[in-house]
């Protein structure tokens, strides 16, 4: 292992990143692609009994939504 890799492997920054990724899993957060791939679109269409186009629009709408941050309470 080179010097750079040893520094990274033991760094506080790497540990923080690993802790953050671990916390995501504990809280139920997952990382997903910004755009659905064809298999994801097919699965969504079957699950929702909708067209592939509708499934893709639904996926993008969920990803693009900010959780209501701009909406009044």
């Amino acid at each position: 292992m080179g010097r750079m890799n040893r520094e990274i492997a033991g760094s506080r920054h790497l540990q923080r990143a690993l802790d953050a990724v671990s916390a995501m899993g504990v809280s139920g957060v997952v990382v997903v692609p910004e755009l659905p791939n064809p298999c994801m679109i097919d699965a969504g269409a079957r699950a929702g009994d909708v067209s592939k186009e509708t499934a893709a629009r639904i996926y993008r709408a969920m990803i693009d939504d900010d959780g209501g941050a701009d909406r009044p309470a």
Side-chain angles (χ1 to χ4, degrees):
M1 185 184 301
R3 179 175 175 247
M4 176 79 102
N5 289 338
R6 281 192 303 273
E7 289 173 6
I8 292 171
S11 77
R12 287 190 329 263
H13 297 293
L14 177 60
Q15 190 56 55
R16 281 184 171 160
L18 293 172
D19 291 345
V21 170
S22 178
M24 286 172 48
V26 169
S27 66
V29 174
V30 297
V31 178
V32 297
E34 184 176 353
L35 297 175
N37 64 40
C39 291
M40 295 165 74
I41 293 170
D42 289 344
R46 284 191 309 276
D49 195 24
V50 296
S51 71
K52 291 179 183 183
E53 293 79 14
T54 298
R57 277 198 327 271
I58 291 168
Y59 182 93
R60 286 191 300 270
M62 290 187 299
I63 297 299
D64 291 343
D65 190 271
D66 62 2
D70 294 338
R71 292 184 210 116

